[in-house]
Amino acid sequence: MSLQQSDIEKVAHLARLGIDPADMPEHIKNLSSILDLVDQMNAVDTESVMPMAHPVDTAQRLRPDEVTETDQREQFQAIAPQVEAGLYLVPKVME
Amino acid sequence: MEWEVVIGLEIHAQLATKSKIFSGAATAYGTAPNTQACAVDLGMPGVLPVLNKEAVRMAVKFGTAIDAHIAPRSVFARKNYFYPDLPKGYQISQFELPIVGAGHLDIELEDGSSKRIGVTRAHLEEDAGKSLHEDFHGLTGVDLNRAGTPLLEIVSEPDMRSAKEAVAYMKKIHSLVRYLEICDGNMQEGSFRCDANISMRPKGQKEFGTRAEIKNLNSFRFVERAINIEIERQIDILEEGGTVNQETRLYDSAKNETRSMRSKEEAFDYRYFPDPDLLPVELTSEDIEEIRKTLPELPHQKKERFTNSFGLTAYDAGVLTSSRELADFFENVVISSGNESKLAANWVTGDFMAALNKAGIEITKSPVSAEHLGGMIQRIADNTISGKIAKQVFEAIWNGEGDADTIIEKKGLKQITDSSAIEAIIDEIIANNPAQTEQYRSGKDKLFGFFVGQTMKATQGKANPAQVNSLLKKKLNK
């Protein structure tokens, strides 16, 4: 399957990735070949196989409902670009 | 043209766990910003989410209560989008394999009939943080205390056909999650909120119209108003020959209108995929049975028992079982009253609830205990006091003056049932009012009320009303 430049631009935008136009042909080629591999796998009859949700074939371990974390706001906010009144400040987003 | 509305609801219920769904941070409401947001909630590199067992148990409890299929294997997925209150750049949710599958519950309609509403699914996910848009020099402040709070998203089938039905369904789910003790149901604090999907179609048409989704409705009143205003908006568009856009809208309660959320015009593409940080959740049928056994008596079961064993009307039983606290209170009143269930229902749904409403007090904080109210009802039933005097006694109990017996004794409110005492009073009244007696005896029946009033006045309301009536008749008709 061969991807268009617009496909790459769309997924890059959704992932908020900036792409150097010079690298575009390379990305088109690599991502298209990954989809070729998917096509190849799609051709295999998997009718009787239960899909895996994870490469490790085991179940989720559950944690008891206990509060184990203490307040470490000072440390976390020390590495934040901007904070005020205990809040993390970010560029304005409005509905 | 006659239009029909089609409504489906997505209800978000915050699960009442102590810690978050994937981290050991606390979930308490109203603490200082970001003091309950740990490295996992902040989406720091290298952290690993570990699922809270209690959140799973609560989701299954809900599922078993609505007769839903519980998935033996469910999977968490990443829902990808960028917003500052979601630091990871994705929300951990469930997509293809939710923990709770199709179920249903019945709502009561205004005409007394009931209607079955389908629940498509209910899945576990994490809540996002809160954005504060005011007073930060043009920046947005982010509080991530809520990020990672467990949510159960309950998705209904598009089965509702009016705003009233939608509210009845939402109230039913609200009551259920509180009965199950899996959500505190506090709508002001956002523990229980709802999105509504609304579309119109010509009455009789099978296909659905294009729907709009109204986000974040956090009161029953707003749900009803927002749906009705959206119905009007869509009908106006359709009748002018236009088409409804499939979009997300916000309800503005101040202006009572819905408006498009412009920032979301760019079509969302969440690119769900299984979260590699989490393994599938597996539940055996024994696990599920174990949880099913912990189900309390459910609202509809309790309602049935109240009508059958207490002889209550369906309406009273519905009111009394609307919350578990009220139902428990009522049952305690019945016990303390010596099984005077009908009188107890009248008092609880009448004067008692009116007093709570007037004072704006929750039943759990009631100044009148179930034992005191039951004790008073017992005194009405055994004719110690009349229903009228009981209102005085109730007020005194409310004001903390003690139990009914103490108050009746202290204030001398005991009903006069000694007929010779009442007869003496009546004789005196007849002697003092010869003109009225004369008129009554010559056919002016209306004056009977005058004599009843005089007698009650003379006894300060303590005479047994039925006894007064029969004694007066006897004396006056001589």
Side-chain angles (χ1 to χ4, degrees), chain A residues 1-15 17-20 23-41, chain B residues 271:
Chain A
M1 183 176 174
S2 134
L3 289 166
Q4 307 295 312
Q5 180 166 334
S6 60
D7 297 323
I8 309 293
E9 282 166 351
K10 187 186 170 201
V11 291
H13 172 69
L14 286 170
L17 292 175
I19 289 195
D20 188 334
D23 297 337
M24 192 54 90
E26 181 78 8
H27 287 307
I28 295 175
K29 190 171 138 255
N30 287 343
L31 287 171
S32 297
S33 75
I34 289 173
L35 290 181
D36 287 342
L37 178 64
V38 173
D39 274 345
Q40 219 178 317
M41 291 194 292
Chain B
R271 294 153 296 139

Side-chain angles (χ1 to χ4, degrees), chain B residues 56 80 113 132 137 142 227 256 258 271 305 308 352 370:
Chain B
V56 172
N80 298 281
S113 65
L132 301 147
H137 358 276
V142 181
I227 291 173
N256 194 31
T258 66
R271 294 153 296 139
R305 180 167 62 83
N308 293 339
F352 175 69

Side-chain angles (χ1 to χ4, degrees), chain B residues 71 98 122 186 246 263 288 290 354 432 461 471:
Chain B
N186 190 322
Q246 182 164 344
S263 66
I288 296 164
E290 202 63 34
N432 290 341
L471 288 173

Side-chain angles (χ1 to χ4, degrees), chain B residues 436-472:
Chain B
Q436 283 85 347
T437 309
E438 179 61 40
Q439 286 172 27
Y440 176 82
R441 286 185 174 150
S442 56
K444 212 168 169 195
D445 289 348
K446 271 199 235 156
L447 275 170
F448 190 72
F450 165 79
F451 290 99
V452 173
Q454 291 295 309
T455 314
M456 293 314 270
K457 198 172 152 193
T459 58
Q460 290 153 330
K462 288 182 288 188
N464 178 311
Q467 224 175 343
V468 168
N469 275 353
S470 74
L471 288 173
L472 266 173

Side-chain angles (χ1 to χ4, degrees), chain B residues 262-282:
Chain B
R262 290 183 202 292
S263 66
K264 303 220 169 171
E265 263 171 21
E266 184 184 325
F268 264 98
D269 186 346
Y270 292 126
R271 294 153 296 139
Y272 282 98
F273 64 89
D275 191 328
D277 285 344
L278 289 153
L279 293 156
V281 179
E282 287 181 0

Side-chain angles (χ1 to χ4, degrees), chain B residues 174-236:
Chain B
H174 185 254
S175 156
L176 184 61
V177 295
R178 295 185 64 227
Y179 261 81
L180 298 174
E181 296 176 316
I182 62 172
C183 172
D184 68 18
N186 190 322
M187 295 169 84
Q188 278 92 43
E189 293 178 3
S191 307
F192 188 87
R193 44 194 207 262
C194 163
D195 303 337
N197 285 300
I198 300 162
S199 66
M200 306 301 303
R201 63 181 174 191
K203 203 161 181 132
Q205 179 182 301
K206 259 191 119 163
E207 298 76 31
F208 294 139
T210 307
R211 65 168 195 260
E213 182 180 10
I214 306 178
K215 282 268 180 208
N216 259 332
L217 299 163
N218 62 356
S219 85
F220 296 122
R221 209 179 48 187
F222 288 168
V223 169
E224 184 165 350
R225 280 204 209 154
I227 291 173
N228 282 328
I229 208 78
E230 179 63 15
I231 290 173
E232 279 180 36
R233 189 187 72 89
Q234 292 191 14
I235 289 179
D236 285 350

Side-chain angles (χ1 to χ4, degrees), chain B residues 347-388:
Chain B
W347 269 89
V348 172
T349 59
D351 291 56
F352 175 69
M353 278 175 67
L356 286 181
N357 282 340
K358 197 174 157 204
I361 296 175
E362 294 288 321
I363 189 157
T364 48
K365 307 249 160 59
S366 166
V368 176
S369 69
E371 291 67 31
H372 281 177
L373 184 55
M376 184 193 87
I377 288 166
Q378 197 166 26
R379 291 298 162 256
I380 303 172
D382 68 13
N383 276 324
T384 305
I385 51 172
S386 66
K388 205 170 165 190

